[in-house]
Amino acid sequence: MIDVLLGLQWGDEGKGKIVDFLASQYNIIARFQGGPNAGHTLYVNGQKVVLHTIPSGVFHTHCTNLIGNGVVIDPVTLQKEINTILPLQSDMLDRLFVSQRAHLIIPTHRALDAASEAAKGNDKIGSTLKGIGPAYMDKTGRNGLRVGDILSKNFTEKYNRLKDKHLAMLKQYDTVVDWQQWEADFFAAVEYMRTLKIVNAEYWLEGQLADGKRVLAEGAQGSMLDIDFGTYPFVTSSNTITAGVCSGLGVAPSRVGEVYGITKAYCTRVGGGPFPTELNDETGEALRKAGNEFGATTGRPRRCGWIDLVALRYAIMLSGVTKLIMTKADVLDSFNPIKAAVAYLVDGKETKELPYDLCDTDVTPIYQSFAGWDQPISACTSYNELPQSFKDYCRFTEQYLGAKIAYVSNGTGRDQLLNIS
Ligand code: GDP
Ligand code: IMO
Ligand code: MG
């Protein structure tokens, strides 16, 4: 079976930490979508590591790591990431596999991302500028370059054809970044990628599953950034929900087992777009400070607000979440009261459904308040030690969402995770 772990909000829910924790139960960790826009933070022997393309099982010697076909890879970022990890985990390359069907991000994809964002002015998505959107556009537009192409002797020709298409597109923009500066590094990194274990991953995975290997699919971004169901157009360009696992790894839906859905105890978003429960006040500022809410990939301050149970319930429905994980509970230690959006007021009517459009629709969240716990919980090591008001907050959340919380994370450390199932 393939279990799935994904973010239920707008990303940065703490997926990296949880995958790193759960990795002891799995033989294979597989990324199925996204690319270097992701920033998954883990602590290895106290040292902070941020992973972008490489699965978060890389620091476990028994774990094999697969970058699936649904991922878009920037060879330069991948090589840099490998060079950061190797001194910490010298056997990592023996355990890293890359699908030949994964698409490549080339320098002009990054230039197009930057130009398209600049042209949008105030309506910009707030893209990470890693070339994600343009690379997925070439994939669905049937122009893309795939990892398998780097093994072909016509690679440079194929690259030039795509680059020329991009150069024609770039002519419509006023500002174009100096992408030529990235080209030499790109070709050097492609040369390096040729030495990696490039596989026909769907057959490889099928063989592993037949051998009884346990697989965890690691999501990137979050459900509200999903290309179909997120707050379009302020989304990323891939399917971040469970459905993306099947197309992003080449596995049948019947293979999917447990689905872990991760939510913060509050909510954040980085980049533009609607965020109904955002707090543009001192409480929001205090959340940012307490949660150290700055992007792992771009360093941008994250927008902060209360947990949005309407959006969460939608995300759980879309992905068939069987186990919830609540992270960053310790961040709420000194907030009193704590609030949760339980409905929206749309056109004077109360609803628990996410409207089709959150950009032009006036949405006012209706909140329920909870007593805070006014004490640090980061040292708690079992459910019983948690304050009653925190337990009440959890019970209400579970009831509203119709899903059980399996773990509560109460700090950045690997061991700060309480099993409460
Ligand atoms: P990801 O993209 O979902 O992997 O999440 P990020 O790594 O981008 O952001 C999550 C941040 O929260 C990281 O800095 C983590 O170290 C941190 N974090 C994860 N879990 C907890 C927690 O329970 N408490 C606190 N205080 N920080 C946490
Ligand atoms: P992880 O995996 C948070 C956001 C960007 C932007 C929008 C589109 O760390 O949770 P893109 O570069 O994909 O074209 O940007 O999506 N975004 C993320 N926000 N966490 C992420 O990944 C994100 N990846 C993309 O900020 O608003
Ligand atoms: Mg992140």
Side-chain angles (χ1 to χ4, degrees):
M1 285 306 247
I2 295 201
D3 292 345
V4 179
L5 180 143
L6 35 82
L8 298 176
Q9 299 170 306
W10 279 279
D12 303 327
E13 297 88 350
K15 298 175 291 292
K17 169 185 159 155
I18 306 297
V19 172
D20 179 47
F21 171 81
L22 292 176
S24 61
Q25 302 169 27
Y26 294 91
N27 307 100
I28 297 166
I29 310 289
R31 277 279 305 272
F32 58 94
Q33 46 71 233
N37 48 351
H40 296 181
T41 313
L42 0 156
Y43 284 85
V44 186
N45 302 324
Q47 186 178 333
K48 179 175 169 176
V49 182
V50 180
L51 299 174
H52 301 287
T53 319
I54 293 178
S56 302
V58 69
F59 293 106
H60 296 260
T61 46
H62 72 280
C63 269
T64 300
N65 297 277
L66 172 68
I67 301 174
N69 60 279
V71 176
V72 284
I73 301 176
D74 182 335
V76 179
T77 320
L78 179 63
Q79 188 180 9
K80 270 196 201 138
E81 216 173 316
I82 291 172
N83 287 339
T84 310
I85 299 169
L86 270 176
L88 303 170
Q89 194 68 52
S90 58
D91 67 336
M92 70 151 293
L93 285 176
D94 304 333
R95 298 182 283 108
L96 181 67
F97 291 77
V98 184
S99 167
Q100 61 187 355
R101 294 180 190 274
H103 278 245
L104 295 178
I105 298 175
I106 72 171
T108 39
H109 280 135
R110 288 173 60 193
L112 280 167
D113 207 358
S116 140
E117 278 285 83
K120 284 191 162 129
N122 285 341
D123 294 330
K124 67 171 191 273
I125 310 280
S127 152
T128 57
L129 304 181
K130 303 293 179 191
I132 304 291
Y136 277 117
M137 276 165 71
D138 274 331
K139 174 178 177 173
T140 51
R142 297 162 295 181
N143 294 305
L145 276 179
R146 298 187 290 174
V147 169
D149 291 325
I150 68 176
L151 305 175
S152 132
K153 53 182 184 319
N154 305 334
F155 177 70
T156 310
E157 205 177 294
K158 289 181 180 177
Y159 168 87
N160 283 330
R161 210 177 308 141
L162 186 59
K163 182 179 79 175
D164 288 345
K165 174 179 162 272
H166 292 165
L167 294 184
M169 290 163 76
L170 283 167
K171 283 199 179 118
Q172 67 181 296
Y173 295 106
D174 299 333
T175 42
V176 175
V177 295
D178 173 21
W179 56 268
Q180 288 95 335
Q181 61 177 323
W182 299 322
E183 214 172 29
D185 284 350
F186 173 81
F187 277 102
V190 163
E191 190 63 43
Y192 175 75
M193 267 190 82
R194 293 190 177 111
T195 66
L196 300 181
K197 296 183 199 306
I198 295 168
V199 290
N200 202 348
E202 52 282 17
Y203 282 111
W204 179 84
L205 206 51
E206 177 64 21
Q208 300 290 324
L209 287 166
D211 277 352
K213 295 284 176 6
R214 285 176 55 81
V215 181
L216 180 67
E218 173 180 1
Q221 288 79 56
S223 309
M224 298 313 292
L225 288 170
D226 182 272
I227 181 73
D228 283 282
F229 301 104
T231 46
Y232 195 86
F234 295 91
V235 293
T236 190
S237 298
S238 63
N239 281 119
T240 58
I241 59 174
T242 301
V245 173
C246 299
S247 56
L249 290 175
V251 292
S254 55
R255 292 284 200 187
V256 174
E258 217 71 78
V259 179
Y260 291 96
I262 309 194
T263 172
K264 287 181 186 176
Y266 50 102
C267 194
T268 64
R269 166 162 213 170
V270 61
F275 179 3
T277 61
E278 181 170 17
L279 292 166
N280 287 308
D281 57 12
E282 63 278 10
T283 310
E285 191 56 49
L287 276 172
R288 185 174 308 116
K289 203 161 164 232
N292 192 22
E293 294 295 357
F294 296 91
T297 298
T298 57
R300 292 177 292 178
R302 294 176 183 147
R303 300 156 63 192
C304 297
W306 298 120
I307 199 165
D308 183 343
L309 296 180
V310 177
L312 264 182
R313 201 172 69 111
Y314 182 64
I316 288 169
M317 173 184 88
L318 295 171
S319 277
V321 171
T322 57
K323 291 189 173 185
L324 273 176
I325 300 179
M326 185 185 273
T327 57
K328 306 194 87 160
D330 54 300
V331 173
L332 294 184
D333 281 350
S334 56
F335 290 80
N336 200 351
I338 286 160
K339 294 187 184 178
V342 291
Y344 290 161
L345 202 60
V346 181
D347 291 333
K349 287 203 195 93
E350 202 176 308
T351 177
K352 287 186 176 174
E353 286 192 7
L354 205 79
Y356 157 73
D357 171 47
L358 281 173
C359 298
D360 295 325
T361 310
D362 224 1
V363 170
T364 312
I366 298 171
Y367 290 106
Q368 174 141 343
S369 288
F370 299 84
W373 39 95
D374 291 327
Q375 57 175 287
I377 59 166
S378 56
C380 293
T381 54
S382 74
Y383 180 69
N384 290 340
E385 290 171 41
L386 290 166
Q388 189 55 43
S389 44
F390 176 72
K391 288 180 184 163
D392 292 344
Y393 181 60
C394 290
R395 290 288 91 85
F396 178 86
T397 306
E398 283 183 326
Q399 258 169 18
Y400 183 101
L401 298 172
K404 292 288 285 175
I405 300 179
Y407 294 97
V408 166
S409 172
N410 58 339
T412 52
R414 248 185 196 173
D415 50 348
Q416 286 173 302
L417 196 65
L418 312 179
N419 186 336
I420 69 163
S421 49

